[in-house]
PDB file of all heavy atoms in Angstrom:
ATOM      1  N   LEU A   1     -69.892 313.220   7.698  1.00  0.00           N
ATOM      2  CA  LEU A   1     -71.036 313.817   6.998  1.00  0.00           C
ATOM      3  C   LEU A   1     -70.729 315.246   6.551  1.00  0.00           C
ATOM      4  O   LEU A   1     -71.205 315.691   5.490  1.00  0.00           O
ATOM      5  CB  LEU A   1     -72.273 313.801   7.893  1.00  0.00           C
ATOM      6  CG  LEU A   1     -72.930 312.434   8.092  1.00  0.00           C
ATOM      7  CD1 LEU A   1     -73.999 312.510   9.180  1.00  0.00           C
ATOM      8  CD2 LEU A   1     -73.538 311.919   6.794  1.00  0.00           C
ATOM      9  N   LYS A   2     -69.941 315.958   7.314  1.00  0.00           N
ATOM     10  CA  LYS A   2     -69.564 317.321   6.932  1.00  0.00           C
ATOM     11  C   LYS A   2     -68.606 317.326   5.741  1.00  0.00           C
ATOM     12  O   LYS A   2     -68.564 318.299   4.981  1.00  0.00           O
ATOM     13  CB  LYS A   2     -68.925 318.036   8.121  1.00  0.00           C
ATOM     14  CG  LYS A   2     -69.871 318.282   9.283  1.00  0.00           C
ATOM     15  CD  LYS A   2     -69.132 318.835  10.494  1.00  0.00           C
ATOM     16  CE  LYS A   2     -70.062 318.967  11.699  1.00  0.00           C
ATOM     17  NZ  LYS A   2     -69.345 319.407  12.926  1.00  0.00           N
ATOM     18  N   LEU A   3     -67.843 316.258   5.593  1.00  0.00           N
ATOM     19  CA  LEU A   3     -66.851 316.187   4.523  1.00  0.00           C
ATOM     20  C   LEU A   3     -67.387 315.563   3.238  1.00  0.00           C
ATOM     21  O   LEU A   3     -66.855 315.804   2.158  1.00  0.00           O
ATOM     22  CB  LEU A   3     -65.634 315.372   4.994  1.00  0.00           C
ATOM     23  CG  LEU A   3     -64.800 315.975   6.126  1.00  0.00           C
ATOM     24  CD1 LEU A   3     -63.793 314.941   6.635  1.00  0.00           C
ATOM     25  CD2 LEU A   3     -64.085 317.240   5.654  1.00  0.00           C
ATOM     26  N   SER A   4     -68.432 314.762   3.360  1.00  0.00           N
ATOM     27  CA  SER A   4     -68.928 314.000   2.221  1.00  0.00           C
ATOM     28  C   SER A   4     -70.075 314.712   1.514  1.00  0.00           C
ATOM     29  O   SER A   4     -70.993 315.223   2.156  1.00  0.00           O
ATOM     30  CB  SER A   4     -69.397 312.612   2.677  1.00  0.00           C
ATOM     31  OG  SER A   4     -70.068 311.942   1.634  1.00  0.00           O
ATOM     32  N   ASP A   5     -70.024 314.715   0.179  1.00  0.00           N
ATOM     33  CA  ASP A   5     -71.138 315.230  -0.613  1.00  0.00           C
ATOM     34  C   ASP A   5     -71.771 314.124  -1.457  1.00  0.00           C
ATOM     35  O   ASP A   5     -72.482 314.397  -2.415  1.00  0.00           O
ATOM     36  CB  ASP A   5     -70.678 316.379  -1.517  1.00  0.00           C
ATOM     37  CG  ASP A   5     -69.590 315.957  -2.491  1.00  0.00           C
ATOM     38  OD1 ASP A   5     -69.161 314.780  -2.449  1.00  0.00           O
ATOM     39  OD2 ASP A   5     -69.157 316.807  -3.303  1.00  0.00           O
ATOM     40  N   ASP A   6     -71.485 312.867  -1.080  1.00  0.00           N
ATOM     41  CA  ASP A   6     -72.018 311.717  -1.803  1.00  0.00           C
ATOM     42  C   ASP A   6     -73.259 311.202  -1.078  1.00  0.00           C
ATOM     43  O   ASP A   6     -73.153 310.657   0.022  1.00  0.00           O
ATOM     44  CB  ASP A   6     -70.951 310.619  -1.886  1.00  0.00           C
ATOM     45  CG  ASP A   6     -71.365 309.461  -2.781  1.00  0.00           C
ATOM     46  OD1 ASP A   6     -72.574 309.163  -2.860  1.00  0.00           O
ATOM     47  OD2 ASP A   6     -70.481 308.839  -3.396  1.00  0.00           O
ATOM     48  N   PRO A   7     -74.442 311.345  -1.657  1.00  0.00           N
ATOM     49  CA  PRO A   7     -75.670 310.900  -0.965  1.00  0.00           C
ATOM     50  C   PRO A   7     -75.700 309.401  -0.699  1.00  0.00           C
ATOM     51  O   PRO A   7     -76.294 308.967   0.294  1.00  0.00           O
ATOM     52  CB  PRO A   7     -76.789 311.325  -1.927  1.00  0.00           C
ATOM     53  CG  PRO A   7     -76.127 311.480  -3.255  1.00  0.00           C
ATOM     54  CD  PRO A   7     -74.741 311.943  -2.967  1.00  0.00           C
ATOM     55  N   ASP A   8     -75.070 308.605  -1.565  1.00  0.00           N
ATOM     56  CA  ASP A   8     -75.029 307.160  -1.337  1.00  0.00           C
ATOM     57  C   ASP A   8     -74.254 306.830  -0.069  1.00  0.00           C
ATOM     58  O   ASP A   8     -74.637 305.932   0.700  1.00  0.00           O
ATOM     59  CB  ASP A   8     -74.370 306.456  -2.539  1.00  0.00           C
ATOM     60  CG  ASP A   8     -75.165 306.608  -3.817  1.00  0.00           C
ATOM     61  OD1 ASP A   8     -76.397 306.778  -3.727  1.00  0.00           O
ATOM     62  OD2 ASP A   8     -74.559 306.562  -4.899  1.00  0.00           O
ATOM     63  N   VAL A   9     -73.181 307.544   0.144  1.00  0.00           N
ATOM     64  CA  VAL A   9     -72.363 307.352   1.347  1.00  0.00           C
ATOM     65  C   VAL A   9     -73.073 307.923   2.570  1.00  0.00           C
ATOM     66  O   VAL A   9     -73.118 307.298   3.635  1.00  0.00           O
ATOM     67  CB  VAL A   9     -70.979 308.005   1.177  1.00  0.00           C
ATOM     68  CG1 VAL A   9     -70.191 307.961   2.481  1.00  0.00           C
ATOM     69  CG2 VAL A   9     -70.198 307.322   0.060  1.00  0.00           C
ATOM     70  N   ASN A  10     -73.649 309.089   2.411  1.00  0.00           N
ATOM     71  CA  ASN A  10     -74.242 309.780   3.557  1.00  0.00           C
ATOM     72  C   ASN A  10     -75.397 309.009   4.181  1.00  0.00           C
ATOM     73  O   ASN A  10     -75.576 309.028   5.402  1.00  0.00           O
ATOM     74  CB  ASN A  10     -74.707 311.175   3.147  1.00  0.00           C
ATOM     75  CG  ASN A  10     -73.538 312.095   2.842  1.00  0.00           C
ATOM     76  OD1 ASN A  10     -72.387 311.747   3.082  1.00  0.00           O
ATOM     77  ND2 ASN A  10     -73.831 313.263   2.300  1.00  0.00           N
ATOM     78  N   GLU A  11     -76.189 308.327   3.358  1.00  0.00           N
ATOM     79  CA  GLU A  11     -77.301 307.544   3.900  1.00  0.00           C
ATOM     80  C   GLU A  11     -76.783 306.427   4.810  1.00  0.00           C
ATOM     81  O   GLU A  11     -77.365 306.143   5.852  1.00  0.00           O
ATOM     82  CB  GLU A  11     -78.148 306.972   2.768  1.00  0.00           C
ATOM     83  CG  GLU A  11     -79.027 308.002   2.081  1.00  0.00           C
ATOM     84  CD  GLU A  11     -79.924 308.750   3.056  1.00  0.00           C
ATOM     85  OE1 GLU A  11     -80.663 308.084   3.811  1.00  0.00           O
ATOM     86  OE2 GLU A  11     -79.865 309.992   3.084  1.00  0.00           O
ATOM     87  N   VAL A  12     -75.691 305.817   4.413  1.00  0.00           N
ATOM     88  CA  VAL A  12     -75.099 304.751   5.224  1.00  0.00           C
ATOM     89  C   VAL A  12     -74.522 305.325   6.513  1.00  0.00           C
ATOM     90  O   VAL A  12     -74.726 304.771   7.612  1.00  0.00           O
ATOM     91  CB  VAL A  12     -74.008 304.010   4.435  1.00  0.00           C
ATOM     92  CG1 VAL A  12     -73.388 302.909   5.290  1.00  0.00           C
ATOM     93  CG2 VAL A  12     -74.577 303.436   3.143  1.00  0.00           C
ATOM     94  N   ILE A  13     -73.817 306.438   6.396  1.00  0.00           N
ATOM     95  CA  ILE A  13     -73.208 307.066   7.571  1.00  0.00           C
ATOM     96  C   ILE A  13     -74.280 307.516   8.566  1.00  0.00           C
ATOM     97  O   ILE A  13     -74.118 307.376   9.783  1.00  0.00           O
ATOM     98  CB  ILE A  13     -72.328 308.257   7.150  1.00  0.00           C
ATOM     99  CG1 ILE A  13     -71.155 307.787   6.275  1.00  0.00           C
ATOM    100  CG2 ILE A  13     -71.800 308.989   8.381  1.00  0.00           C
ATOM    101  CD1 ILE A  13     -70.236 306.797   6.946  1.00  0.00           C
ATOM    102  N   LYS A  14     -75.388 308.032   8.067  1.00  0.00           N
ATOM    103  CA  LYS A  14     -76.484 308.446   8.955  1.00  0.00           C
ATOM    104  C   LYS A  14     -77.041 307.257   9.727  1.00  0.00           C
ATOM    105  O   LYS A  14     -77.372 307.379  10.916  1.00  0.00           O
ATOM    106  CB  LYS A  14     -77.591 309.118   8.142  1.00  0.00           C
ATOM    107  CG  LYS A  14     -77.226 310.499   7.617  1.00  0.00           C
ATOM    108  CD  LYS A  14     -78.342 311.055   6.735  1.00  0.00           C
ATOM    109  CE  LYS A  14     -77.967 312.398   6.149  1.00  0.00           C
ATOM    110  NZ  LYS A  14     -79.030 312.916   5.234  1.00  0.00           N
ATOM    111  N   PHE A  15     -77.166 306.121   9.050  1.00  0.00           N
ATOM    112  CA  PHE A  15     -77.644 304.929   9.745  1.00  0.00           C
ATOM    113  C   PHE A  15     -76.670 304.524  10.858  1.00  0.00           C
ATOM    114  O   PHE A  15     -77.084 304.255  11.996  1.00  0.00           O
ATOM    115  CB  PHE A  15     -77.799 303.767   8.761  1.00  0.00           C
ATOM    116  CG  PHE A  15     -78.000 302.436   9.423  1.00  0.00           C
ATOM    117  CD1 PHE A  15     -79.231 302.074   9.947  1.00  0.00           C
ATOM    118  CD2 PHE A  15     -76.926 301.549   9.562  1.00  0.00           C
ATOM    119  CE1 PHE A  15     -79.408 300.855  10.587  1.00  0.00           C
ATOM    120  CE2 PHE A  15     -77.094 300.324  10.197  1.00  0.00           C
ATOM    121  CZ  PHE A  15     -78.337 299.976  10.712  1.00  0.00           C
ATOM    122  N   LEU A  16     -75.380 304.481  10.529  1.00  0.00           N
ATOM    123  CA  LEU A  16     -74.387 304.090  11.526  1.00  0.00           C
ATOM    124  C   LEU A  16     -74.355 305.073  12.689  1.00  0.00           C
ATOM    125  O   LEU A  16     -74.233 304.667  13.856  1.00  0.00           O
ATOM    126  CB  LEU A  16     -73.002 304.005  10.865  1.00  0.00           C
ATOM    127  CG  LEU A  16     -72.835 302.886   9.834  1.00  0.00           C
ATOM    128  CD1 LEU A  16     -71.530 303.061   9.065  1.00  0.00           C
ATOM    129  CD2 LEU A  16     -72.883 301.513  10.496  1.00  0.00           C
ATOM    130  N   ARG A  17     -74.486 306.348  12.374  1.00  0.00           N
ATOM    131  CA  ARG A  17     -74.513 307.359  13.430  1.00  0.00           C
ATOM    132  C   ARG A  17     -75.687 307.129  14.373  1.00  0.00           C
ATOM    133  O   ARG A  17     -75.536 307.216  15.600  1.00  0.00           O
ATOM    134  CB  ARG A  17     -74.618 308.758  12.806  1.00  0.00           C
ATOM    135  CG  ARG A  17     -74.651 309.881  13.827  1.00  0.00           C
ATOM    136  CD  ARG A  17     -75.142 311.183  13.204  1.00  0.00           C
ATOM    137  NE  ARG A  17     -75.128 312.266  14.179  1.00  0.00           N
ATOM    138  CZ  ARG A  17     -76.060 312.462  15.115  1.00  0.00           C
ATOM    139  NH1 ARG A  17     -77.095 311.625  15.195  1.00  0.00           N
ATOM    140  NH2 ARG A  17     -75.962 313.469  15.968  1.00  0.00           N
ATOM    141  N   GLN A  18     -76.850 306.830  13.811  1.00  0.00           N
ATOM    142  CA  GLN A  18     -78.028 306.619  14.642  1.00  0.00           C
ATOM    143  C   GLN A  18     -77.870 305.408  15.547  1.00  0.00           C
ATOM    144  O   GLN A  18     -78.340 305.403  16.692  1.00  0.00           O
ATOM    145  CB  GLN A  18     -79.270 306.466  13.763  1.00  0.00           C
ATOM    146  CG  GLN A  18     -80.560 306.301  14.554  1.00  0.00           C
ATOM    147  CD  GLN A  18     -80.836 307.465  15.497  1.00  0.00           C
ATOM    148  OE1 GLN A  18     -80.477 308.613  15.201  1.00  0.00           O
ATOM    149  NE2 GLN A  18     -81.452 307.194  16.633  1.00  0.00           N
ATOM    150  N   ARG A  19     -77.206 304.391  15.072  1.00  0.00           N
ATOM    151  CA  ARG A  19     -76.980 303.209  15.898  1.00  0.00           C
ATOM    152  C   ARG A  19     -76.049 303.529  17.074  1.00  0.00           C
ATOM    153  O   ARG A  19     -76.195 302.963  18.160  1.00  0.00           O
ATOM    154  CB  ARG A  19     -76.401 302.067  15.060  1.00  0.00           C
ATOM    155  CG  ARG A  19     -77.336 301.525  14.005  1.00  0.00           C
ATOM    156  CD  ARG A  19     -78.695 301.165  14.571  1.00  0.00           C
ATOM    157  NE  ARG A  19     -78.600 300.116  15.595  1.00  0.00           N
ATOM    158  CZ  ARG A  19     -79.577 299.811  16.439  1.00  0.00           C
ATOM    159  NH1 ARG A  19     -80.715 300.480  16.399  1.00  0.00           N
ATOM    160  NH2 ARG A  19     -79.421 298.838  17.316  1.00  0.00           N
ATOM    161  N   GLU A  20     -75.121 304.452  16.871  1.00  0.00           N
ATOM    162  CA  GLU A  20     -74.257 304.870  17.980  1.00  0.00           C
ATOM    163  C   GLU A  20     -75.103 305.542  19.058  1.00  0.00           C
ATOM    164  O   GLU A  20     -74.871 305.346  20.254  1.00  0.00           O
ATOM    165  CB  GLU A  20     -73.168 305.840  17.497  1.00  0.00           C
ATOM    166  CG  GLU A  20     -72.310 305.355  16.349  1.00  0.00           C
ATOM    167  CD  GLU A  20     -71.511 304.117  16.657  1.00  0.00           C
ATOM    168  OE1 GLU A  20     -71.385 303.759  17.849  1.00  0.00           O
ATOM    169  OE2 GLU A  20     -70.985 303.491  15.720  1.00  0.00           O
ATOM    170  N   VAL A  21     -76.080 306.334  18.638  1.00  0.00           N
ATOM    171  CA  VAL A  21     -76.974 306.995  19.594  1.00  0.00           C
ATOM    172  C   VAL A  21     -77.759 305.951  20.393  1.00  0.00           C
ATOM    173  O   VAL A  21     -77.884 306.044  21.616  1.00  0.00           O
ATOM    174  CB  VAL A  21     -77.935 307.944  18.860  1.00  0.00           C
ATOM    175  CG1 VAL A  21     -78.990 308.501  19.819  1.00  0.00           C
ATOM    176  CG2 VAL A  21     -77.168 309.087  18.205  1.00  0.00           C
ATOM    177  N   VAL A  22     -78.266 304.941  19.697  1.00  0.00           N
ATOM    178  CA  VAL A  22     -79.032 303.878  20.377  1.00  0.00           C
ATOM    179  C   VAL A  22     -78.146 303.126  21.354  1.00  0.00           C
ATOM    180  O   VAL A  22     -78.552 302.830  22.488  1.00  0.00           O
ATOM    181  CB  VAL A  22     -79.649 302.918  19.343  1.00  0.00           C
ATOM    182  CG1 VAL A  22     -80.277 301.713  20.040  1.00  0.00           C
ATOM    183  CG2 VAL A  22     -80.690 303.641  18.500  1.00  0.00           C
ATOM    184  N   HIS A  23     -76.931 302.819  20.951  1.00  0.00           N
ATOM    185  CA  HIS A  23     -76.016 302.107  21.848  1.00  0.00           C
ATOM    186  C   HIS A  23     -75.715 302.946  23.086  1.00  0.00           C
ATOM    187  O   HIS A  23     -75.627 302.423  24.201  1.00  0.00           O
ATOM    188  CB  HIS A  23     -74.709 301.778  21.124  1.00  0.00           C
ATOM    189  CG  HIS A  23     -74.884 300.793  20.020  1.00  0.00           C
ATOM    190  ND1 HIS A  23     -73.897 300.537  19.088  1.00  0.00           N
ATOM    191  CD2 HIS A  23     -75.928 300.002  19.681  1.00  0.00           C
ATOM    192  CE1 HIS A  23     -74.337 299.632  18.229  1.00  0.00           C
ATOM    193  NE2 HIS A  23     -75.564 299.294  18.568  1.00  0.00           N
ATOM    194  N   PHE A  24     -75.530 304.253  22.887  1.00  0.00           N
ATOM    195  CA  PHE A  24     -75.308 305.143  24.019  1.00  0.00           C
ATOM    196  C   PHE A  24     -76.476 305.051  25.005  1.00  0.00           C
ATOM    197  O   PHE A  24     -76.287 304.987  26.228  1.00  0.00           O
ATOM    198  CB  PHE A  24     -75.153 306.579  23.517  1.00  0.00           C
ATOM    199  CG  PHE A  24     -74.933 307.601  24.596  1.00  0.00           C
ATOM    200  CD1 PHE A  24     -73.657 307.929  25.018  1.00  0.00           C
ATOM    201  CD2 PHE A  24     -76.007 308.233  25.204  1.00  0.00           C
ATOM    202  CE1 PHE A  24     -73.453 308.870  26.022  1.00  0.00           C
ATOM    203  CE2 PHE A  24     -75.819 309.175  26.205  1.00  0.00           C
ATOM    204  CZ  PHE A  24     -74.535 309.495  26.608  1.00  0.00           C
ATOM    205  N   GLN A  25     -77.667 305.031  24.478  1.00  0.00           N
ATOM    206  CA  GLN A  25     -78.851 304.931  25.332  1.00  0.00           C
ATOM    207  C   GLN A  25     -78.871 303.614  26.103  1.00  0.00           C
ATOM    208  O   GLN A  25     -79.186 303.578  27.296  1.00  0.00           O
ATOM    209  CB  GLN A  25     -80.109 305.071  24.476  1.00  0.00           C
ATOM    210  CG  GLN A  25     -80.273 306.440  23.844  1.00  0.00           C
ATOM    211  CD  GLN A  25     -81.384 306.493  22.819  1.00  0.00           C
ATOM    212  OE1 GLN A  25     -81.863 305.459  22.355  1.00  0.00           O
ATOM    213  NE2 GLN A  25     -81.794 307.686  22.445  1.00  0.00           N
ATOM    214  N   ARG A  26     -78.538 302.526  25.427  1.00  0.00           N
ATOM    215  CA  ARG A  26     -78.562 301.219  26.092  1.00  0.00           C
ATOM    216  C   ARG A  26     -77.525 301.160  27.218  1.00  0.00           C
ATOM    217  O   ARG A  26     -77.793 300.602  28.287  1.00  0.00           O
ATOM    218  CB  ARG A  26     -78.285 300.113  25.071  1.00  0.00           C
ATOM    219  CG  ARG A  26     -79.292 299.969  23.946  1.00  0.00           C
ATOM    220  CD  ARG A  26     -80.660 299.495  24.428  1.00  0.00           C
ATOM    221  NE  ARG A  26     -81.492 300.590  24.894  1.00  0.00           N
ATOM    222  CZ  ARG A  26     -82.165 301.410  24.097  1.00  0.00           C
ATOM    223  NH1 ARG A  26     -82.109 301.262  22.795  1.00  0.00           N
ATOM    224  NH2 ARG A  26     -82.906 302.371  24.602  1.00  0.00           N
ATOM    225  N   PHE A  27     -76.351 301.745  26.993  1.00  0.00           N
ATOM    226  CA  PHE A  27     -75.341 301.738  28.048  1.00  0.00           C
ATOM    227  C   PHE A  27     -75.769 302.645  29.205  1.00  0.00           C
ATOM    228  O   PHE A  27     -75.502 302.340  30.373  1.00  0.00           O
ATOM    229  CB  PHE A  27     -73.987 302.180  27.502  1.00  0.00           C
ATOM    230  CG  PHE A  27     -73.315 301.153  26.630  1.00  0.00           C
ATOM    231  CD1 PHE A  27     -72.808 301.493  25.388  1.00  0.00           C
ATOM    232  CD2 PHE A  27     -73.198 299.833  27.046  1.00  0.00           C
ATOM    233  CE1 PHE A  27     -72.192 300.545  24.578  1.00  0.00           C
ATOM    234  CE2 PHE A  27     -72.588 298.873  26.254  1.00  0.00           C
ATOM    235  CZ  PHE A  27     -72.082 299.232  25.011  1.00  0.00           C
ATOM    236  N   GLY A  28     -76.436 303.745  28.896  1.00  0.00           N
ATOM    237  CA  GLY A  28     -76.960 304.595  29.966  1.00  0.00           C
ATOM    238  C   GLY A  28     -77.977 303.861  30.808  1.00  0.00           C
ATOM    239  O   GLY A  28     -77.981 303.960  32.041  1.00  0.00           O
ATOM    240  N   GLU A  29     -78.840 303.104  30.167  1.00  0.00           N
ATOM    241  CA  GLU A  29     -79.824 302.306  30.897  1.00  0.00           C
ATOM    242  C   GLU A  29     -79.155 301.246  31.750  1.00  0.00           C
ATOM    243  O   GLU A  29     -79.623 300.932  32.859  1.00  0.00           O
ATOM    244  CB  GLU A  29     -80.787 301.655  29.905  1.00  0.00           C
ATOM    245  CG  GLU A  29     -81.696 302.646  29.206  1.00  0.00           C
ATOM    246  CD  GLU A  29     -82.407 302.065  27.999  1.00  0.00           C
ATOM    247  OE1 GLU A  29     -82.120 300.899  27.636  1.00  0.00           O
ATOM    248  OE2 GLU A  29     -83.242 302.760  27.411  1.00  0.00           O
ATOM    249  N   ALA A  30     -78.039 300.693  31.259  1.00  0.00           N
ATOM    250  CA  ALA A  30     -77.323 299.670  32.038  1.00  0.00           C
ATOM    251  C   ALA A  30     -76.782 300.265  33.336  1.00  0.00           C
ATOM    252  O   ALA A  30     -76.815 299.617  34.385  1.00  0.00           O
ATOM    253  CB  ALA A  30     -76.190 299.080  31.204  1.00  0.00           C
ATOM    254  N   ILE A  31     -76.284 301.489  33.274  1.00  0.00           N
ATOM    255  CA  ILE A  31     -75.801 302.144  34.498  1.00  0.00           C
ATOM    256  C   ILE A  31     -76.949 302.339  35.474  1.00  0.00           C
ATOM    257  O   ILE A  31     -76.819 302.098  36.682  1.00  0.00           O
ATOM    258  CB  ILE A  31     -75.137 303.492  34.155  1.00  0.00           C
ATOM    259  CG1 ILE A  31     -73.808 303.253  33.432  1.00  0.00           C
ATOM    260  CG2 ILE A  31     -74.904 304.318  35.424  1.00  0.00           C
ATOM    261  CD1 ILE A  31     -73.111 304.526  33.006  1.00  0.00           C
ATOM    262  N   LEU A  32     -78.095 302.751  34.949  1.00  0.00           N
ATOM    263  CA  LEU A  32     -79.248 302.954  35.820  1.00  0.00           C
ATOM    264  C   LEU A  32     -79.736 301.633  36.417  1.00  0.00           C
ATOM    265  O   LEU A  32     -80.158 301.577  37.571  1.00  0.00           O
ATOM    266  CB  LEU A  32     -80.377 303.622  35.039  1.00  0.00           C
ATOM    267  CG  LEU A  32     -80.060 305.015  34.471  1.00  0.00           C
ATOM    268  CD1 LEU A  32     -81.261 305.564  33.726  1.00  0.00           C
ATOM    269  CD2 LEU A  32     -79.645 305.965  35.581  1.00  0.00           C
ATOM    270  N   THR A  33     -79.673 300.575  35.643  1.00  0.00           N
ATOM    271  CA  THR A  33     -80.092 299.255  36.125  1.00  0.00           C
ATOM    272  C   THR A  33     -79.254 298.826  37.317  1.00  0.00           C
ATOM    273  O   THR A  33     -79.739 298.168  38.237  1.00  0.00           O
ATOM    274  CB  THR A  33     -79.964 298.220  34.999  1.00  0.00           C
ATOM    275  OG1 THR A  33     -80.832 298.591  33.931  1.00  0.00           O
ATOM    276  CG2 THR A  33     -80.328 296.830  35.483  1.00  0.00           C
ATOM    277  N   HIS A  34     -77.991 299.220  37.318  1.00  0.00           N
ATOM    278  CA  HIS A  34     -77.087 298.845  38.402  1.00  0.00           C
ATOM    279  C   HIS A  34     -77.060 299.899  39.510  1.00  0.00           C
ATOM    280  O   HIS A  34     -76.118 299.954  40.286  1.00  0.00           O
ATOM    281  CB  HIS A  34     -75.678 298.636  37.856  1.00  0.00           C
ATOM    282  CG  HIS A  34     -75.543 297.428  37.007  1.00  0.00           C
ATOM    283  ND1 HIS A  34     -75.746 296.154  37.479  1.00  0.00           N
ATOM    284  CD2 HIS A  34     -75.238 297.300  35.688  1.00  0.00           C
ATOM    285  CE1 HIS A  34     -75.567 295.291  36.496  1.00  0.00           C
ATOM    286  NE2 HIS A  34     -75.260 295.959  35.395  1.00  0.00           N
ATOM    287  N   SER A  35     -78.097 300.723  39.585  1.00  0.00           N
ATOM    288  CA  SER A  35     -78.085 301.829  40.546  1.00  0.00           C
ATOM    289  C   SER A  35     -77.933 301.344  41.984  1.00  0.00           C
ATOM    290  O   SER A  35     -77.243 301.969  42.784  1.00  0.00           O
ATOM    291  CB  SER A  35     -79.355 302.664  40.405  1.00  0.00           C
ATOM    292  OG  SER A  35     -80.506 301.861  40.645  1.00  0.00           O
ATOM    293  N   ASN A  36     -78.566 300.256  42.339  1.00  0.00           N
ATOM    294  CA  ASN A  36     -78.446 299.762  43.709  1.00  0.00           C
ATOM    295  C   ASN A  36     -77.056 299.226  43.985  1.00  0.00           C
ATOM    296  O   ASN A  36     -76.483 299.452  45.047  1.00  0.00           O
ATOM    297  CB  ASN A  36     -79.482 298.659  43.956  1.00  0.00           C
ATOM    298  CG  ASN A  36     -80.893 299.207  43.989  1.00  0.00           C
ATOM    299  OD1 ASN A  36     -81.102 300.356  44.356  1.00  0.00           O
ATOM    300  ND2 ASN A  36     -81.853 298.397  43.579  1.00  0.00           N
ATOM    301  N   ARG A  37     -76.500 298.543  43.011  1.00  0.00           N
ATOM    302  CA  ARG A  37     -75.161 297.978  43.191  1.00  0.00           C
ATOM    303  C   ARG A  37     -74.110 299.079  43.257  1.00  0.00           C
ATOM    304  O   ARG A  37     -73.139 299.004  43.977  1.00  0.00           O
ATOM    305  CB  ARG A  37     -74.844 297.019  42.045  1.00  0.00           C
ATOM    306  CG  ARG A  37     -73.487 296.343  42.167  1.00  0.00           C
ATOM    307  CD  ARG A  37     -73.238 295.351  41.035  1.00  0.00           C
ATOM    308  NE  ARG A  37     -74.032 294.150  41.183  1.00  0.00           N
ATOM    309  CZ  ARG A  37     -75.095 293.856  40.428  1.00  0.00           C
ATOM    310  NH1 ARG A  37     -75.468 294.673  39.471  1.00  0.00           N
ATOM    311  NH2 ARG A  37     -75.777 292.756  40.625  1.00  0.00           N
ATOM    312  N   PHE A  38     -74.332 300.144  42.464  1.00  0.00           N
ATOM    313  CA  PHE A  38     -73.375 301.238  42.423  1.00  0.00           C
ATOM    314  C   PHE A  38     -73.974 302.474  43.081  1.00  0.00           C
ATOM    315  O   PHE A  38     -73.873 303.585  42.577  1.00  0.00           O
ATOM    316  CB  PHE A  38     -73.009 301.581  40.977  1.00  0.00           C
ATOM    317  CG  PHE A  38     -72.484 300.417  40.192  1.00  0.00           C
ATOM    318  CD1 PHE A  38     -72.912 300.192  38.896  1.00  0.00           C
ATOM    319  CD2 PHE A  38     -71.567 299.538  40.738  1.00  0.00           C
ATOM    320  CE1 PHE A  38     -72.433 299.137  38.158  1.00  0.00           C
ATOM    321  CE2 PHE A  38     -71.085 298.474  40.009  1.00  0.00           C
ATOM    322  CZ  PHE A  38     -71.511 298.260  38.714  1.00  0.00           C
TER     323      PHE A  38
END
C-alpha cells in the first residue's frame, strides 16, 4: 500500500490485509480455546 498509487489495486490490497487481521484473531481465539489443554 505504501508503494502503490493505483486505487484499483489498493482497494483489493486493503481487503486482503483486513482478512489477515481476521485470521490473526481467529488463531488467537484458538489458543484461548485450548487454554485448559495448554
Side-chain angles (χ1 to χ4, degrees):
L1 287 170
K2 294 173 185 176
L3 294 170
S4 171
D5 60 358
D6 188 328
D8 296 333
V9 173
N10 291 352
E11 286 305 306
V12 180
I13 297 300
K14 288 176 183 177
F15 168 78
L16 293 169
R17 180 196 182 281
Q18 183 58 32
R19 294 309 299 165
E20 306 298 345
V21 173
V22 172
H23 293 168
F24 179 90
Q25 294 170 344
R26 298 293 85 79
F27 287 130
E29 291 166 355
I31 290 178
L32 298 180
T33 298
H34 290 297
S35 60
N36 290 331
R37 182 178 287 107
F38 304 136

